[in-house]
Amino acid sequence: MQILDGKKLSKKIETHVANEVKILKERCGCTPGLAVVLVGQDPASAAYVKMKKKACDRVGFYSVTHEMPENISQETIESTISMMNTNKSIDGILIQLPLPSQIDTTKILELVNPAKDVDGFHPFNVGRLTTGLDGFVPCTPLGVMELLAQYKIDVKGKNCVVVGASNIVGKPMASLLLNADATVEICHIFTDDLKKHTLNADIIFVGVGVINLIKEDMIKKDAIIIDIGINRDDDGKLVGDVDYANVSEKCSYITPVPGGVGPMTISMLLQNTLKAAQMNAKEKQ
Ligand code: NAD
């Protein structure tokens, strides 16, 4: 079994992004800028935003976080986004999800300028992804594809089973795989007999949020396992959705948690923001 080391690859990507930032600064005096909206006090969201800000600092981006209270109004978030949409020093906008229940999340995501939508959640970019056109792709599934490419794992013609069908993880993961000529099945909470599907998979992508959902008897020998889940076990330890100890004995490749898909997600955010900044720099020339 071989580990798919997302931590190592993410460092390599960061070095590349930092070099590109230097080139951009020399060429046109532009510094890529990322604006983040963080609403409420959810510790996990705050931790993710902190990690993203640190990553921006490491590669030389400008970044700003708009922290808002839990009881914020729809109108206030909307006017903040409108401001960011026209602010020339901001290339990328990220709305940290989930937003509180009084907020219409769809409306908020639709308000983000698609050219600054570095999370790839705007329906414009979702449509481009499903059509196979260039655009902004959600960071987590994009990071998974980069990781597979790094280890020269070609998904073409492979039976790929995606477990979890959210807009953030499962659906864009499936679109990327389909665009890369994989045979794709998507399973979710209402899938009858999950094991029947996973046993047939050459590659399993699981992003659900259930500890030990994928067990050793649910995979075929030498399958490739991509664990996207992030959970805390009873001891507060970070774990994925896969029974790692047992599954890793039977599979050919596996992503660890932590150190697999998580760091790739952050480096893809950097890559997407750099892409937005490079597009804006071209427009200014
Ligand atoms: P979500 O709650 O929006 O979606 C969960 C999906 O899993 C749904 O489609 C649901 O139908 C499915 N599901 C739930 N229970 C299931 C079960 N028992 N069997 C089969 N399917 C089931 O969650 P999300 O935002 O997509 O996140 C999923 C997981 O991925 C979480 O653990 C989250 O922390 C993690 N995540 C990780 C990263 C990363 O960078 N590694 C990024 C985003 C999300």
Side-chain angles (χ1 to χ4, degrees):
M1 179 277 295
Q2 199 182 338
I3 299 262
L4 298 169
D5 191 341
K7 200 170 164 192
K8 192 169 152 197
L9 177 57
S10 69
K11 283 193 183 134
K12 198 169 140 189
I13 293 168
E14 269 194 23
T15 306
H16 169 74
V17 172
N19 285 337
E20 290 294 313
V21 170
K22 276 189 206 139
I23 293 169
L24 202 61
K25 279 182 186 169
E26 278 164 20
R27 193 158 52 85
C28 63
C30 316
T31 301
L34 177 72
V36 178
V37 174
L38 173 63
V39 182
Q41 303 291 324
D42 176 49
S45 291
Y48 290 138
V49 168
K50 207 169 149 191
M51 280 194 280
K52 289 166 187 172
K53 160 121 192 60
K54 275 189 178 168
C56 285
D57 292 345
R58 288 198 296 272
V59 296
F61 285 1
Y62 160 71
S63 76
V64 58
T65 305
H66 293 265
E67 287 185 40
M68 299 179 175
E70 185 79 26
N71 62 356
I72 194 86
S73 68
Q74 178 86 20
E75 292 69 32
T76 311
I77 306 185
E78 286 184 7
S79 62
T80 306
I81 294 172
S82 301
M83 234 168 52
M84 295 170 178
N85 278 343
T86 51
N87 184 340
K88 292 224 178 316
S89 58
I90 299 299
D91 299 291
I93 300 172
L94 185 152
I95 317 294
Q96 185 64 42
L97 301 179
L99 294 172
S101 54
Q102 80 276 10
I103 302 295
D104 181 342
T105 301
T106 306
K107 211 167 157 215
I108 295 292
L109 296 178
E110 278 181 329
L111 200 66
V112 173
N113 177 350
K116 297 189 177 188
D117 174 36
V118 289
D119 249 343
F121 295 159
H122 192 289
F124 176 85
N125 284 311
V126 176
R128 290 188 72 84
L129 171 61
T130 49
T131 320
L133 298 171
D134 185 36
F136 288 108
V137 175
C139 301
T140 300
L142 184 62
V144 170
M145 295 306 281
E146 287 276 339
L147 199 50
L148 292 174
Q150 173 71 19
Y151 286 85
K152 306 211 172 358
I153 297 170
D154 188 0
V155 301
K156 188 173 185 172
K158 296 276 182 343
N159 288 334
C160 292
V161 171
V162 179
V163 188
S166 69
N167 291 335
I168 295 171
V169 179
K171 285 185 202 164
M173 187 75 253
S175 295
L176 283 169
L177 292 168
L178 196 56
N179 291 347
D181 298 326
T183 302
V184 186
E185 264 188 88
I186 311 175
C187 301
H188 45 75
I189 186 92
F190 299 114
T191 298
D192 184 34
D193 196 358
L194 181 61
K195 185 176 166 180
K196 189 179 86 189
H197 299 270
T198 55
L199 268 179
N200 191 36
D202 300 314
I203 316 180
I204 300 174
F205 304 78
V206 57
V208 161
V210 176
I211 296 177
N212 289 341
L213 180 73
I214 303 298
K215 300 186 182 65
E216 170 247 334
D217 66 344
M218 295 171 74
I219 73 158
K220 72 177 181 189
K221 193 168 177 325
D222 292 335
I224 297 170
I225 309 294
I226 308 296
D227 191 352
I228 303 168
I230 301 179
N231 312 290
R232 293 248 173 224
D233 71 7
D234 291 342
D235 303 325
K237 209 177 116 208
L238 220 54
V239 294
D241 290 347
V242 175
D243 176 4
Y244 187 89
N246 295 310
V247 168
S248 59
E249 297 284 312
K250 194 175 177 185
C251 65
S252 57
Y253 291 90
I254 191 165
T255 57
V257 178
V261 178
M264 290 304 297
T265 297
I266 296 194
S267 44
M268 290 305 101
L269 173 67
L270 299 176
Q271 202 169 276
N272 279 351
T273 306
L274 173 69
K275 176 176 168 173
Q278 285 170 332
M279 277 163 28
N280 284 337
K282 260 193 204 141
E283 270 175 27
K284 281 180 205 155
Q285 278 172 353

